[in-house]
Amino acid sequence: MDVLVELFLTFLMIGFVSFGGGYAMIPVIEIEVSNHGWMTTQEFTDVIAIAGMSPGPIATNSAIFVGYKTAELPGAIVSALAMVIPSLLIILIIATFFFRFNENKFVKSAFYGLRPIITGLIVYAAIKFAITNNVIGELSWHTASLMIIFGLSLFSLIKLRLHPLFVIALSGFVGMVLY
Amino acid sequence: MKTDWKFILQIFLSFLKIGPATFGGGYAMIPMIEREVVDKKKWIRNKDVTEIFAIAESVPGAIAINSATFIGYRLAGVRGAVAAMVGVLLPTFIIVVILSMLFLIVKDNPHIESAFIAIRATIVALIVYAAYKIGMTAVYDKTTLGIATVTTAILFFLHVHPVVVIISGIFTGMVAVQIKSWFGMSIKLEKDELNVVKKEKQVKEA
């Protein structure tokens, strides 16, 4: 299959299930990207870093990067469009029928199950990325140093409420000095 | 009805302006969108914009892009929706493409490589932080805690495709609510003040 068609169909499917904010889509995009052989999990971690440093939604940004790396500018365009077309269609349907979507009883009970599942999905992504990037692994100075960077980053995000962009930049600087 | 292309262009330009100024995910765009369409252009009333954000949050896709699309549709139908969507997406698109290009050129530089060894650990922290934030609103009783734990276990041990898990989540919610109501158990469909946008607005208005 043409790689552009493959990119389009992959991100179209992801676009339809993009519930619960960008981070929930990270494991979904990661699995598709490695199944298609577009990138390794570690390369995809770098995509999240770039997507997180760019303005705008993280899932769409990741799709654009994956598309660009796989098939240059046409790939980026196709992936971005595929991510937003499902939203456009669903919004047009809801807006046309003036359907109070978020107050519907079925929608509410669907979200009762969906929200914890999305939490579980993101926790899974965290474990998987931690293993791939040696934050969890055989005990060595290298793993220990990465665990410390992980711990300090998390502390800066949750307790110190530092901006993610700032934490990523700081961490990059520490990496240059250490490794 | 003749399409007022000048108005469509205006919608496009308004959302184009919002894009580049927003770092830190889609939620960072919400107050900017609000300022533009409610305060400056007076296209949408304050009350309506809150409802639009709430709907945009529950539709698949990024909340910022969804809100823009919804507002565009309210203003000028399908053409307005497309204009707003492309407008909000375009600046981000260009920035991400440029950053990707630069990253692919410099990624083999030894300094950049060392920086990214540390950055990857920070990205794991960022994902845990995202789980923590959504977990605070999503996990609040035994059922939701059980669903979250089982989800992680199924994904990790059985390697089920995440899309299958998400779709089954929709049905799990409906079934769980139905079963609980059959047994006459009380059920809280949302944690109090779940809706982030609504909460932020209440804080702002107070």
Side-chain angles (χ1 to χ4, degrees), chain B residues 11-22:
Chain B
I11 295 173
F12 172 74
L13 290 176
S14 282
F15 283 101
L16 191 72
K17 267 193 328 206
I18 293 168
T22 54

Side-chain angles (χ1 to χ4, degrees), chain B residues 1-180:
Chain B
M1 193 181 81
K2 206 175 143 279
T3 313
D4 184 356
W5 288 108
K6 246 173 119 178
F7 186 46
I8 303 281
L9 183 70
Q10 241 184 57
I11 295 173
F12 172 74
L13 290 176
S14 282
F15 283 101
L16 191 72
K17 267 193 328 206
I18 293 168
T22 54
F23 283 88
Y27 276 99
M29 287 181 165
I30 295 303
M32 316 268 308
I33 293 179
E34 194 180 341
R35 199 176 313 148
E36 180 70 22
V37 300
V38 178
D39 302 339
K40 272 177 73 186
K41 300 278 186 201
K42 305 206 184 311
W43 280 336
I44 307 270
R45 281 177 306 169
N46 202 14
K47 192 179 101 244
D48 294 337
V49 90
T50 314
E51 195 192 307
I52 288 174
F53 290 149
I55 298 173
E57 216 183 1
S58 18
V59 172
I63 183 168
I65 297 178
N66 291 348
S67 308
T69 312
F70 221 115
I71 291 166
Y73 182 84
R74 280 267 176 103
L75 294 174
V78 178
R79 289 184 183 85
V82 174
M85 178 179 254
V86 176
V88 84
L89 188 62
L90 197 59
T92 331
F93 178 85
I94 294 169
I95 292 170
V96 176
V97 167
I98 292 172
L99 281 177
S100 314
M101 232 156 39
L102 292 176
F103 177 72
L104 293 174
I105 294 168
V106 301
K107 78 175 163 64
D108 294 323
N109 174 293
H111 294 291
I112 300 292
E113 265 177 12
S114 334
F116 269 83
I117 292 174
I119 286 176
R120 288 179 198 128
T122 301
I123 296 304
V124 176
L126 214 57
I127 300 174
V128 172
Y129 177 53
Y132 165 80
K133 271 198 300 190
I134 191 166
M136 294 288 279
T137 55
V139 179
Y140 52 86
D141 59 13
K142 279 182 198 147
T143 316
T144 47
L145 179 65
I147 295 174
T149 315
V150 169
T151 302
T152 307
I154 285 178
L155 285 163
F156 194 76
F157 293 110
L158 304 180
H159 304 289
V160 176
H161 198 290
V163 170
V164 176
V165 174
I166 294 170
I167 293 169
S168 48
I170 297 173
F171 295 104
T172 310
M174 291 183 179
V175 171
V177 170
Q178 195 53 252
I179 291 175
K180 279 194 167 186

Side-chain angles (χ1 to χ4, degrees), chain A residues 50-153:
Chain A
I50 303 296
M53 284 190 263
S54 313
I58 194 152
T60 320
N61 288 353
S62 308
I64 295 170
F65 191 160
V66 171
Y68 181 80
K69 194 192 167 234
T70 315
E72 298 193 329
L73 196 57
I77 295 172
V78 160
S79 307
L81 288 179
M83 280 292 277
V84 297
I85 285 172
S87 309
L88 181 66
L89 290 180
I90 294 171
I91 287 170
L92 290 184
I93 292 169
I94 293 175
T96 310
F97 296 103
F98 203 73
F99 175 36
R100 286 182 176 268
F101 184 76
N102 55 319
E103 283 166 26
N104 180 283
K105 193 183 151 232
F106 288 108
V107 175
K108 276 197 165 180
S109 39
F111 270 94
Y112 178 73
L114 207 45
R115 274 190 301 262
I117 283 203
I118 281 165
T119 311
L121 198 64
I122 304 177
V123 171
Y124 162 73
I127 297 171
K128 185 163 183 188
F129 280 86
I131 294 171
T132 314
N133 295 302
N134 302 317
V135 177
I136 301 175
E138 273 176 52
L139 210 58
S140 65
W141 284 113
H142 186 69
T143 307
S145 69
L146 288 176
M147 269 177 88
I148 292 169
I149 292 172
F150 163 80
L152 289 176
S153 302

